[in-house]
Amino acid sequence: RRTQIMPETGKRDDPYQQFNFLVEIDGITRAGFMECSGATTDTDPIDYREGADVTMNVRKLSGLRKYTNIVLKRGYTQDKSLWEWRKKIINGLVERRNADIILLNENRDEVLRWRIREAWISKWESGPFNAKTNDVVVETVELIHEGLEMV
């Protein structure tokens, strides 16, 4: 005779919602960002085949790892730290920083953290400005980086 195991009631494992997150740059939480995208890793495949291979298949080897730019968007406030960082880069001083993207649960407790290494702002954008809307003025930056990991 088989014993049927009943699922535990009241216990759920719901996915986290995307609107509760923080961004820390060099350990300091910056003014709240409204959007953070581009946390992507990619590895180039290398096709390889030896002339003596019995099978007519191409082997797939692991090539260079790549990381896409992280795009951060936030409404303008008095905090000019991102512009000041970008201005240093424009003036020839590429200051690399580490950053963390932190996902929070509904209680605002940290549940996941992604670490971005050796980042610097490659693009800074302001606006748009439009006198016909109620929208917040948005500052957008793109971070180039050399590594992304979940810690």
Side-chain angles (χ1 to χ4, degrees):
R1 176 176 174 186
R2 261 175 102 178
T3 305
Q4 186 175 2
I5 299 174
M6 298 297 289
E8 191 176 324
T9 57
K11 181 167 172 76
R12 294 176 52 144
D13 192 17
D14 292 335
Y16 301 114
Q17 297 172 329
Q18 64 178 325
F19 59 82
N20 277 331
F21 68 95
L22 300 172
V23 176
E24 289 180 357
I25 299 173
D26 275 346
I28 300 169
T29 303
R30 297 295 172 187
F33 288 92
M34 58 191 277
E35 186 176 324
C36 175
S37 62
T40 305
T41 68
D42 191 12
T43 304
D44 288 335
I46 300 171
D47 290 347
Y48 177 76
R49 184 174 182 280
E50 294 177 357
D53 281 347
V54 176
T55 62
M56 297 297 289
N57 301 22
V58 173
R59 297 182 203 179
K60 299 291 186 177
L61 304 177
S62 175
L64 292 175
R65 292 178 301 277
K66 298 183 290 187
Y67 306 97
T68 59
N69 296 355
I70 303 291
V71 179
L72 300 172
K73 295 182 179 186
R74 71 177 183 175
Y76 266 113
T77 65
Q78 293 295 315
D79 181 7
K80 296 178 184 172
S81 60
L82 293 177
W83 170 249
E84 290 165 1
W85 183 16
R86 177 64 185 146
K87 191 174 176 185
K88 288 179 184 177
I89 295 163
I90 291 169
N91 292 330
L93 178 62
V94 178
E95 189 176 283
R96 296 173 186 267
R97 300 179 183 179
N98 294 323
D100 288 352
I101 303 165
I102 304 160
L103 184 64
L104 307 173
N105 64 15
E106 293 170 352
N107 296 324
R108 309 259 325 142
D109 299 319
E110 179 178 327
V111 291
L112 293 172
R113 181 181 289 252
W114 292 266
R115 175 128 326 125
I116 303 159
R117 292 183 295 105
E118 301 294 318
W120 54 277
I121 298 175
S122 66
K123 183 178 180 180
W124 179 92
E125 183 179 342
S126 177
F129 301 100
N130 185 339
K132 296 180 188 177
T133 72
N134 292 344
D135 295 342
V136 170
V137 178
V138 175
E139 174 182 34
T140 303
V141 295
E142 284 190 31
L143 298 179
I144 298 282
H145 62 98
E146 296 179 2
L148 172 69
E149 62 182 332
M150 190 180 297
V151 292

